[in-house]
Amino acid sequence: MSLNRNFVSQLEQQIEQLKTDKVYKRLNFLDSPQSARVKMEGRGDVLILSSNNYLGLCDEPSVVKAGKQALDRFGAGTGSVRFICGTFTIHRELEEALARFVGTDASMSYVSAWNANEGLTATIVQEGDFVVSDELNHASIIDSIRLAKAITKCTTGVYKHSDLDDLRAKLAANSAARRRLIWTDGVFSMEGSIAKLPEILQLAREHDAIVIMDDSHATGVLGKTGRGTAEHFGVLGEVDVITSTLGKALGGAAGGFVAGPAALCDMLTQRSRPQLFSNALPPTVAASALESVRVIEREPQRVERLRENARYFREQIIESGFKPLAGETPIVPIIVGETAAAIRMSDELLSEGVFVTGFGFPVVPQGQARVRCQISASHTRDDLDEAVRAFRKVGKKLGVV
Ligand SMILES: Cc1ncc(COP(=O)(O)O)c(C=O)c1O
């Protein structure tokens, strides 16, 4: 029997097209932990400004040690799904810590935030419900709603980015629905903007709606002690459901969670398909994430350092003539126009030893291609100054400043 050659040649043609369109993604291989600087194969020492390692916990000694100890204590993995072959005590400990951290009664962990989002919507909606989503929500939210619609026949809508009038109109038009659910990111990853959470909560109260917020880029980042968007706005405990990742500020390994009322998490155990049909988070990863939460609780000054680093970088990059999107998060997108310009800029920056990814259409709107800088608490002032010098040099070369 021979392989299906047509299948392979069609894929090869598609890849060629991506290269022609200059949107082909090339992987860069690293041979060191995620940190402010990484060892990149073929490049040597590179300053990284495109990691979600916001608090520098990926290689924090106590986080790594907790993972190693869990490997010794619990072994490599879970062996099956939780309700079939038992659930580890480390998962319960992690879930209690996550709930405490984000200000909810309970939480349920998943192998990724993608999985958490996907497993959530279809579990809690039914036919007759209306789900409305911000147009810039993360792909995992979009797909979770598509899946829920296919499974349950709920109805769905999209409101213009952070446009409260549009959201209000869509809620009002669906006042006869059995239930209304509003899905929003806490921080929008391509813009670095923060959801207008207090106003969304107010609208939800007026229209008897449920608010679900994906805080993946805000957990460990926003709020005085890193508890996220709700803490940032002083509304901790007022969001019905929060989802987030363990793959960014909380150690950066992998994993995600849904946090909310205990009855919701119990229902996820009963009905959420990734819980029922897929293995749980490896215990090593659960232990590292748990230690990450403890580090942030012990050392809230890391969150302050992150905020100060982001403020400094923004100020320096503006002084250098760039026009980043306005904001106060550690995500600093610099708009350069066409996709090819963003990719060229990212390549030139890498030649200068600074790793920043360029994003173009269709990830962001046509003509708004950007390089997206992400600042970490682990960056030193020297790191940030070095990055700004590289930006200035490349910006001049490409005629951007
Ligand atoms: C807002 C948001 N939600 C979910 C995810 C998915 O996270 P994970 O890597 O844990 O699946 C991401 C990752 O980029 C994200 O930015």
Side-chain angles (χ1 to χ4, degrees):
M1 295 283 256
S2 61
L3 296 175
N4 187 326
R5 284 304 312 164
N6 274 347
F7 172 57
V8 177
S9 69
Q10 281 161 6
L11 289 173
E12 285 168 351
Q13 275 168 25
Q14 283 175 306
I15 287 170
E16 274 317 305
Q17 192 58 48
L18 294 177
K19 287 182 179 165
T20 307
D21 296 345
K22 299 205 175 342
V23 291
Y24 178 76
K25 292 174 190 63
R26 179 171 36 81
L27 296 180
N28 292 300
F29 289 90
L30 308 182
D31 198 16
S32 67
Q34 279 288 345
S35 197
R37 287 172 186 279
V38 290
K39 278 196 180 50
M40 187 179 286
E41 230 174 56
R43 298 266 180 191
D45 189 34
V46 167
L47 179 59
I48 190 159
L49 249 78
S50 54
S51 169
N52 297 311
N53 180 25
Y54 290 120
L55 295 176
L57 294 179
C58 283
D59 64 343
E60 175 66 22
S62 70
V63 171
V64 175
K65 186 172 165 198
K68 286 180 180 165
Q69 286 175 340
L71 187 61
D72 287 339
R73 181 169 166 205
F74 297 105
T78 56
S80 179
V81 298
R82 286 168 74 160
F83 90 94
I84 294 177
C85 73
T87 184
F88 287 117
T89 50
I90 189 77
H91 290 106
R92 185 174 54 204
E93 249 188 290
L94 170 67
E95 287 157 1
E96 285 169 0
L98 290 170
R100 183 180 70 235
F101 190 62
V102 302
T104 59
D105 286 348
S107 86
M108 174 60 64
S109 62
Y110 286 79
V111 291
S112 68
W114 185 288
N115 243 230
N117 287 347
E118 193 179 83
L120 171 65
T121 315
T123 304
I124 57 172
V125 303
Q126 293 176 18
E127 187 167 1
D129 289 348
F130 172 67
V131 187
V132 64
S133 171
D134 187 293
E135 69 178 334
L136 292 190
N137 275 346
H138 189 258
S140 57
I141 300 175
I142 297 170
D143 281 13
S144 90
I145 296 172
R146 287 177 177 154
L147 186 63
K149 189 174 186 171
I151 294 175
T152 68
K153 304 196 171 43
C154 65
T155 59
T156 62
V158 173
Y159 62 96
K160 290 195 201 93
H161 177 49
S162 281
D163 185 330
L164 299 167
D165 290 335
D166 196 24
L167 174 57
R168 182 182 297 107
K170 297 219 152 74
L171 290 170
N174 287 278
S175 59
R178 194 184 77 99
R179 269 195 322 208
R180 284 151 297 285
L181 293 91
I182 305 168
W183 242 125
T184 182
D185 271 333
V187 168
F188 294 85
S189 58
M190 283 297 140
E191 319 294 304
S193 57
I194 306 175
K196 295 174 182 164
L197 183 60
E199 292 86 349
I200 292 174
L201 290 173
Q202 182 60 34
L203 276 181
R205 283 181 200 118
E206 286 165 16
H207 294 268
D208 188 24
I210 297 156
V211 176
I212 312 174
M213 177 173 71
D214 178 340
D215 234 13
S216 290
H217 285 277
T219 305
V221 173
L222 287 189
K224 196 168 167 33
T225 58
R227 287 171 158 74
T229 307
E231 187 186 26
H232 174 80
F233 286 114
V235 292
L236 212 56
E238 295 182 34
V239 181
D240 298 291
V241 185
I242 294 172
T243 72
S244 190
T245 185
L246 307 176
K248 302 190 195 299
L250 299 185
F257 63 94
V258 173
L264 168 68
C265 295
D266 197 4
M267 188 52 93
L268 293 171
T269 302
Q270 312 308 316
R271 288 286 161 81
S272 170
R273 291 167 74 82
Q275 290 291 337
L276 298 179
F277 299 107
S278 184
N279 280 16
L281 205 59
T284 48
V285 175
S288 285
L290 174 59
E291 175 57 17
S292 297
V293 174
R294 289 177 176 157
V295 171
I296 303 171
E297 287 175 332
R298 277 198 309 268
E299 302 172 19
Q301 63 273 20
R302 279 178 189 261
V303 183
E304 186 49 40
R305 191 155 70 240
L306 171 63
R307 210 181 330 276
E308 180 49 27
N309 275 357
R311 191 203 56 72
Y312 178 76
F313 180 76
R314 226 172 242 287
E315 175 193 285
Q316 294 300 308
I317 211 81
I318 291 172
E319 230 167 69
S320 307
F322 291 94
K323 295 185 180 64
L325 291 181
E328 50 185 313
T329 69
I331 299 174
V332 186
I334 299 176
I335 308 292
V336 296
E338 293 313 311
T339 304
I343 292 177
R344 171 100 198 272
M345 185 151 190
S346 153
D347 287 347
E348 293 282 347
L349 282 164
L350 192 52
S351 304
E352 296 297 321
V354 178
F355 184 23
V356 191
T357 308
F359 292 91
F361 183 78
V363 179
V364 296
Q366 194 78 264
Q368 290 187 35
R370 60 199 68 181
V371 289
R372 183 185 62 167
C373 306
Q374 286 172 286
I375 306 304
S376 167
S378 61
H379 287 128
T380 62
R381 266 301 147 88
D382 284 350
D383 291 335
L384 297 175
D385 289 341
E386 184 184 324
V388 171
R389 276 197 300 277
F391 262 95
R392 262 189 221 138
K393 186 170 171 190
V394 170
K396 281 204 181 97
K397 181 172 174 185
L398 301 183
V400 178
V401 290

